[in-house]
Amino acid sequence: MNIRICLLPGDGIGPEIVNQAVGVLDRVAAKFGHTITTTSALIGGIAIDTTGIPLPEETITQCQKADAILLGAVGGPKWDTIDPAIRPEKGLLGIRKALGLFANLRPATLFKELTSASYLRPDIIGQGLDIMVVRELTGGAYFGEPRGETVVNGERAAFNTMIYTESEIERIVHVACKIAMKRGKRLCSVDKANVLDVSRLWREVTIRTAAQYPEIQLSHMYVDNAAMQLIRDPSQFDVLVTENLFGDILSDEASIITGSIGMLPSASMGTTGPALFEPIHGSAPDIAGQDLANPLATILSVAMMFRYSFNLTTEALAVEQAVHKVLAQGYRTGDIYVGQGTKVGCSKMGTLVAEALA
Ligand code: NAD
């Protein structure tokens, strides 16, 4: 297969971790006979420094021409005080918008080799954790109109609108159903249908959309209960689908119970066009440039890319198994080191995974 990937290394540890992921991409290409070509473009703080804006037009063009995009991270203290209109994070929002990326896939996977890093008790976490949170990314209260500030009875008041159209709900539920079909075929839709009108429509449309996938076992849960159940008994979940605001909170909650922010990948997808893959963590300015970052979240983002953009399941599994193997051999970057095994840096960890693929 011929694959074109646009790399957006970004800021802080971004270039270091993307570099290691490219090493893994090269190894997969050689092993499975693919031709993978990469281009690199500017986003975030480095784009501001070079061009004055966080998302140059040239970056959008390069991304549109690619089959998939791999992003490191953006931001850092250097740009914390600049005009909010051109902050590095605007680059991220901008690229999601430009590419119509409405579905955010956030797996919360706890590798059994790392169960001691989890914040949950061993009897709850069992042999690990494997949940996929599918969050709607371009609708709901974050984008709904009208929004703003007004005056009510002589005092300031502010408001946002949580709004979803039927087609917005349908397309995200289709994404979630297709993912559930590739996994355990269980889908839990999270809403607040006992209180919110928008949630009642969400539930109605979810039921009729999921009915097109007769093998899927659909359930519904109120968001407050879902937040609780994720801590009490996370293994009950296979795929969760929810709207933007609920998904923002629940996907962070689901991932942090694994205890290792440096391990978690994500994907943002649209209906057509290239999808974007990135680690969930930020640019970690406190450890940037010191070869201390954990590159595994970015490497696992590459595995997601093979699975979801190219339907190359064998390649995805090979990358995931290489990560397992290196962890089972006891290698750890600082963030997942708990006193046992061999502590390694970012480049060594990347090399070990690439070698494990051979
Ligand atoms: P962060 O995720 O960058 O760091 C939080 C903590 O986790 C830090 O102690 C960091 O050293 C550690 N950490 C993160 N990733 C790691 C890795 N791969 N290996 C080892 N340790 C790792 O979050 P923050 O400190 O709140 O934000 C730093 C900057 O990143 C800010 O400018 C923020 O706006 C930006 N940010 C960007 C993204 C993104 O690009 N998607 C996401 C979140 C934050």
Side-chain angles (χ1 to χ4, degrees), residues 286-319:
D286 51 332
I287 56 166
Q290 301 169 50
D291 196 32
L292 291 175
N294 183 349
L296 295 179
T298 318
I299 290 171
L300 291 166
S301 300
V302 165
M304 285 190 87
M305 182 188 287
F306 284 123
R307 181 172 287 117
Y308 293 112
S309 273
F310 308 126
N311 227 353
L312 295 172
T313 312
T314 311
E315 286 79 345
L317 279 172
V319 174

Side-chain angles (χ1 to χ4, degrees), residues 17-348:
I17 52 179
V18 166
N19 214 0
Q20 297 313 314
V22 170
V24 169
L25 275 171
D26 288 344
R27 199 56 74 98
V28 173
K31 185 178 164 93
F32 294 93
H34 301 299
T35 306
I36 300 181
T37 39
T38 55
T39 52
S40 207
L42 299 172
I43 192 165
I46 183 148
I48 297 170
D49 289 352
T50 316
T51 69
I53 51 169
L55 183 64
E57 204 51 49
E58 171 63 15
T59 298
I60 300 176
T61 310
Q62 295 247 24
C63 289
Q64 282 165 338
K65 279 194 215 152
D67 301 309
I69 300 148
L70 183 67
L71 179 110
V74 298
K78 183 177 176 194
W79 305 280
D80 274 352
T81 48
I82 62 166
D83 174 4
I86 56 153
R87 275 182 66 98
E89 293 76 10
K90 290 273 176 193
L92 261 187
L93 293 177
I95 194 71
R96 287 176 183 155
K97 191 162 176 222
L99 300 173
L101 307 176
F102 66 86
N104 187 222
L105 278 49
R106 288 262 300 255
T109 315
L110 177 60
F111 287 78
K112 68 176 187 312
E113 295 87 357
L114 299 177
T115 43
S116 57
S118 170
Y119 292 112
L120 297 185
R121 291 198 316 259
D123 61 310
I124 295 176
I125 218 70
Q127 277 303 295
L129 187 69
D130 184 11
I131 303 173
M132 177 70 85
V133 181
V134 179
R135 165 189 169 193
E136 204 290 327
L137 205 55
T138 54
Y142 292 178
F143 296 93
E145 296 286 345
R147 62 193 291 165
E149 232 188 86
T150 182
V151 174
V152 175
N153 297 330
E155 61 177 334
R156 287 173 70 202
F159 58 97
N160 292 84
T161 304
M162 189 188 270
I163 181 166
Y164 273 102
T165 61
E166 290 179 284
S167 57
E168 282 176 313
I169 304 168
E170 271 163 17
R171 64 182 188 177
I172 189 77
V173 175
H174 275 300
V175 170
C177 286
K178 285 179 185 143
I179 287 163
M181 287 300 291
K182 289 190 181 183
R183 296 172 42 106
K185 298 183 180 159
R186 288 182 297 120
L187 178 64
C188 178
S189 167
V190 176
D191 62 36
K192 190 71 184 166
N194 52 342
V195 178
L196 299 175
D197 299 275
V198 59
S199 278
R200 281 193 281 277
L201 181 69
W202 178 278
R203 192 175 282 213
E204 198 185 306
V205 176
T206 299
I207 290 170
R208 77 168 188 240
T209 308
Q212 296 169 40
Y213 304 80
E215 285 178 62
I216 286 184
Q217 197 187 319
L218 175 69
S219 60
H220 306 274
M221 197 176 275
Y222 296 139
V223 61
D224 42 348
N225 189 24
M228 204 163 62
Q229 294 298 331
L230 272 171
I231 302 292
R232 202 187 68 82
D233 178 20
S235 60
Q236 70 184 282
F237 297 114
D238 176 21
V239 179
L240 288 166
V241 62
T242 191
E243 65 89 45
N244 202 348
L245 168 61
F246 299 162
D248 191 2
I249 299 164
L250 291 183
S251 60
D252 262 13
E253 185 192 351
S255 56
I256 204 61
I257 56 181
T258 69
S260 8
I261 194 174
M263 295 293 303
L264 295 166
S266 76
S268 302
M269 316 178 75
T271 312
T272 55
L276 184 147
F277 300 83
E278 59 179 318
I280 69 155
H281 58 72
S283 60
D286 51 332
I287 56 166
Q290 301 169 50
D291 196 32
L292 291 175
N294 183 349
L296 295 179
T298 318
I299 290 171
L300 291 166
S301 300
V302 165
M304 285 190 87
M305 182 188 287
F306 284 123
R307 181 172 287 117
Y308 293 112
S309 273
F310 308 126
N311 227 353
L312 295 172
T313 312
T314 311
E315 286 79 345
L317 279 172
V319 174
E320 286 158 0
Q321 278 158 6
V323 170
H324 272 292
K325 189 171 166 192
V326 171
L327 292 174
Q329 288 166 343
Y331 293 106
R332 302 282 187 271
T333 43
D335 58 314
I336 50 173
Y337 181 77
V338 278
Q340 280 176 338
T342 313
K343 212 181 205 179
V344 294
C346 181
S347 54
K348 177 73 179 169

